Amino acid sequence: MLKQFFNKLPRKSSSASSSKSGTLSGSGQSNPGNGAAASGIPIQRTSSSTAAPTRSATVKRMSSAVFPSSVVAGIEPLVSFKDVPNGEKPNLFVSKLNLCCIVFDFSDPNKNSAEKDIKRQTLLELIEYVNSANARFTEQMIASSCKMFAVNLFRVFPPNYRSNSSGGGGGGGEAEEEEPMFDPAWPHLQLVYDLLLKFIGSSALDAKVGKKYFDHSFILRLLDLFDSEDPRERDCLKTILHRIYGKFMVHRPFVRKSVSNIFYRFVFETDRHNGIAELLEVLGSVISGFALPLKEEHKIFLSRALIPLHKPRTVGSYLQQLTYCVMQFLEKEPKLASSVIAGLLKYWPVTNSQKEVMFLSELEEVLEATNVVEFQKCMVPLFRRLSYCINSSHFQVAERALFLWNNDHIMSLVAQNRQMIMPIILPGLERNTRHHWNHSILNLTLNVRKMLSEMDEGLFTACQKKLEEEEEQRAALEEKRRLDWELLEAAAASQPVTGKTAVLVRPPTATTTTTAATTATTITSTLA
């Protein structure tokens, strides 16, 4: 009974400690000293006890468009790791992490310069400690580390009002490249990223324990940072994501699925993202490690996530990385070549000449990895498209399409299937020799024409003769159509329209030419 009565009495020590811990609670951050004291960790500070009262008691709130800064009332450096015994180093490590949970506003370099320098020195000490760590990290150390990384790195980016996206290479290469934007907080962010990279890569981190804290939520928020406009940050994220993928095998399917969702959102919704190239670089090394035979999940990833990335207008900024990923799939399973070519034809640009040139370059790499069986599945629509490219009025498109014939592997594929390909491609070559305005295109066309003639002179002559016959038939049909319309116009002119008589004039089709001629004869005989 007395025990229950005494428990209800207020305790001065607990209220005092709670008032101390409330100085940083307004911003969602914990006081590094109090957090350690609550867990029974002895805190030792290098400054004297009279240093705290000399500081201003006024609480200043820093604001930033990117960083939600903490309420800073003054911080003091902790002792160095070399000044404490090995048994206390884990506790000191956690205390230093708690100190680094205070976030500053870096838009003004003159604000809190002393506190920022203390934090910078603390981060450097943490990096050095992780580098030299021999014993396993405790669960408390891992949890505190993840908390510090989340507080300092995870943030919401301000709206991007730029006219293009994905690293500034808009318009498929036609738009001018914009200067990259650099984050003023990068000197601080770089230290945090270095610590995260070394922490994940350290042998002292047990993956079985770490996976509980480097969980799906942490990975999703880390992937959101790839939309940063600072290329230095995206480069660090690329390395860290690769380390996470290699360290925590249980999270690998989730990482692939999350990256796919980013691609879906970019292609079909926003058409705006800064980190597509970096994500593809990570995927390039991931795909190279896929086991054979490829899982159905990986084939679906190729067809639904990678191939549609050819659609956005900003494909030029990441096409090199995208082509590498596609080629990794083809090296592992050549049977996918026909589906890749079909995907390229599906998203083939019609009005963007620079993008079309890039597609032709990628197509050449794909064809080099294509065998005869897969080539035969797509050669008809492929060479119809190449015929259009050869006749393009944009000389770079026509030139790049004609350069394909200098590739020995492509020529061998054409030679084995010349019965189907030559009738498709020869009309385009003939039109170029007669009507194209560029002299270099004329010379290249004549060279390709000569190569086809030498490949199979009999087939070439037969195709040429058939082409001449078709042109004669087309000319005769056009002349007949012209005469039919002259007869109709003459018949209509001989009987002028009076009153409000409705007259329907429409161009005839090929199927109605005979009917029109018969009608004209009937009208003429009636008028006579």
Side-chain angles (χ1 to χ4, degrees):
M1 196 71 178
L2 291 174
K3 185 177 181 180
Q4 294 178 357
F5 176 75
F6 285 126
N7 286 337
K8 293 180 180 179
L9 293 177
R11 297 183 179 180
K12 184 176 181 180
S13 59
S14 62
S15 62
S17 62
S18 63
S19 65
K20 292 179 182 178
S21 62
T23 57
L24 294 180
S25 61
S27 64
Q29 308 298 337
S30 61
N31 190 316
N34 295 330
S39 60
I41 302 171
I43 300 300
Q44 305 178 39
R45 302 187 182 273
T46 57
S47 60
S48 63
S49 60
T50 59
T54 60
R55 294 187 179 273
S56 174
T58 305
V59 177
K60 298 180 180 179
R61 181 178 294 276
M62 304 299 172
S63 62
S64 173
V66 174
F67 285 96
S69 55
S70 306
V71 180
V72 182
I75 60 175
E76 298 178 1
L78 302 177
V79 296
S80 177
F81 283 105
K82 61 184 179 181
D83 295 333
V84 297
N86 292 334
E88 295 183 9
K89 285 183 178 180
N91 294 338
L92 182 60
F93 183 82
V94 173
S95 299
K96 288 180 179 290
L97 288 172
N98 290 334
L99 185 146
C100 292
C101 285
I102 300 176
V103 181
F104 299 99
D105 178 15
F106 288 87
S107 59
D108 186 356
N110 297 321
K111 289 183 179 180
N112 303 107
S113 57
E115 288 82 357
K116 291 176 184 177
D117 188 62
I118 292 174
K119 183 176 180 181
R120 185 181 68 84
Q121 293 295 336
T122 305
L123 286 170
L124 290 173
E125 291 177 9
L126 289 171
I127 293 173
E128 184 179 356
Y129 177 80
V130 171
N131 268 336
S132 59
N134 295 322
R136 290 279 185 178
F137 294 143
T138 65
E139 188 165 351
Q140 185 183 12
M141 295 170 69
I142 298 173
S144 299
S145 298
C146 288
K147 176 187 173 184
M148 192 276 290
F149 296 140
V151 168
N152 284 275
L153 298 178
F154 298 155
R155 60 205 190 277
V156 178
F157 295 112
N160 182 3
Y161 295 105
R162 289 190 174 194
S163 59
N164 53 54
S165 62
S166 191
E174 291 183 343
E176 294 183 2
E177 284 195 15
E178 295 183 355
E179 290 294 329
M181 296 183 65
F182 297 106
D183 197 323
W186 175 246
H188 159 73
L189 286 173
Q190 186 178 18
L191 294 176
V192 181
Y193 277 121
D194 286 346
L195 178 58
L196 174 57
L197 180 62
K198 294 183 183 301
F199 190 82
I200 295 174
S202 175
S203 58
L205 175 62
D206 188 357
K208 294 181 180 179
V209 180
K211 69 181 181 182
K212 295 190 297 183
Y213 299 95
F214 293 96
D215 55 2
H216 290 181
S217 176
F218 188 94
I219 293 172
L220 282 176
R221 298 181 71 183
L222 189 75
L223 289 173
D224 289 339
L225 296 177
F226 275 89
D227 202 18
S228 170
E229 293 191 358
D230 195 326
R232 300 168 299 182
E233 182 171 10
R234 298 198 303 269
D235 193 62
C236 282
L237 287 165
K238 174 182 64 178
T239 308
I240 290 169
L241 180 62
H242 191 271
R243 291 286 179 87
I244 290 177
Y245 190 89
K247 185 86 173 182
F248 307 106
M249 297 182 63
V250 68
H251 293 328
R252 289 183 179 182
F254 180 78
V255 171
R256 295 195 298 267
K257 181 181 178 182
S258 300
V259 173
S260 298
N261 291 336
I262 293 176
F263 291 162
Y264 298 151
R265 198 177 305 116
F266 167 63
V267 173
F268 302 110
E269 294 181 13
T270 63
D271 196 29
R272 183 181 297 277
H273 199 282
N274 293 304
I276 300 298
E278 287 78 11
L279 289 171
L280 287 171
E281 282 190 45
V282 177
L283 286 175
S285 58
V286 168
I287 295 168
S288 64
F290 284 166
L292 294 177
L294 290 177
K295 298 179 181 179
E296 190 64 25
E297 169 201 350
H298 300 153
K299 298 178 183 178
I300 292 175
F301 176 77
L302 170 66
S303 60
R304 295 184 182 178
L306 293 184
I307 297 300
L309 282 175
H310 291 86
K311 178 183 177 182
R313 59 186 177 85
T314 55
V315 65
S317 60
Y318 56 81
L319 184 64
Q320 181 181 358
Q321 293 85 354
L322 177 59
T323 303
Y324 178 79
C325 291
V326 172
M327 294 306 299
Q328 288 294 311
F329 270 103
L330 296 184
E331 288 179 7
K332 289 186 172 293
E333 190 159 334
K335 292 182 180 180
L336 297 172
S338 58
S339 61
V340 170
I341 294 174
L344 287 175
L345 295 176
K346 178 181 179 180
Y347 296 107
W348 197 273
V350 178
T351 60
N352 191 331
S353 299
Q354 292 295 329
K355 190 175 175 181
E356 197 167 7
V357 172
M358 291 187 286
F359 267 54
L360 288 167
S361 299
E362 183 179 3
L363 178 64
E364 182 174 7
E365 291 190 43
V366 173
L367 286 174
E368 286 181 348
T370 305
N371 55 40
V372 178
V373 177
E374 297 302 316
F375 178 76
Q376 290 174 347
K377 296 179 181 178
C378 57
M379 62 182 179
V380 173
L382 171 62
F383 278 87
R384 284 176 181 165
R385 172 54 60 188
L386 289 178
S387 180
Y388 293 139
C389 294
I390 287 173
N391 294 140
S392 174
S393 57
H394 195 291
F395 81 96
Q396 289 180 340
V397 176
E399 182 181 55
R400 192 65 188 85
L402 290 167
F403 279 160
L404 293 176
W405 303 89
N406 294 331
N407 189 294
D408 294 335
H409 182 69
I410 296 176
M411 283 302 297
S412 67
L413 294 174
V414 172
Q416 296 177 60
N417 300 275
R418 57 185 179 275
Q419 297 289 341
M420 291 291 296
I421 294 176
M422 198 174 294
I424 298 174
I425 206 71
L426 189 59
L429 295 173
E430 292 296 329
R431 283 191 293 270
N432 261 17
T433 56
R434 300 173 188 175
H435 307 298
H436 206 283
W437 63 272
N438 190 279
H439 290 290
S440 62
I441 300 302
L442 292 176
N443 294 331
L444 288 172
T445 302
L446 292 174
N447 290 338
V448 174
R449 192 171 175 271
K450 181 180 178 181
M451 292 167 64
L452 292 177
S453 176
E454 294 174 351
M455 183 184 298
D456 192 333
E457 187 174 358
L459 179 61
F460 182 85
T461 304
C463 291
Q464 199 171 27
K465 184 177 180 181
K466 183 180 179 181
L467 178 62
E468 292 173 356
E469 292 175 355
E470 289 177 353
E471 290 179 348
E472 290 175 359
Q473 292 177 1
R474 191 181 302 110
L477 184 62
E478 291 177 357
E479 180 65 19
K480 187 174 183 300
R481 185 182 295 116
R482 187 184 64 80
L483 293 175
D484 290 343
W485 277 99
E486 286 181 357
L487 289 174
L488 286 173
E489 290 172 358
S494 62
Q495 187 177 3
V497 179
T498 58
K500 297 182 180 180
T501 305
V503 178
L504 177 62
V505 179
R506 61 182 180 182
T509 61
T511 58
T512 60
T513 303
T514 306
T515 306
T518 306
T519 304
T521 305
T522 305
I523 294 174
T524 305
S525 61
T526 302
L527 293 176

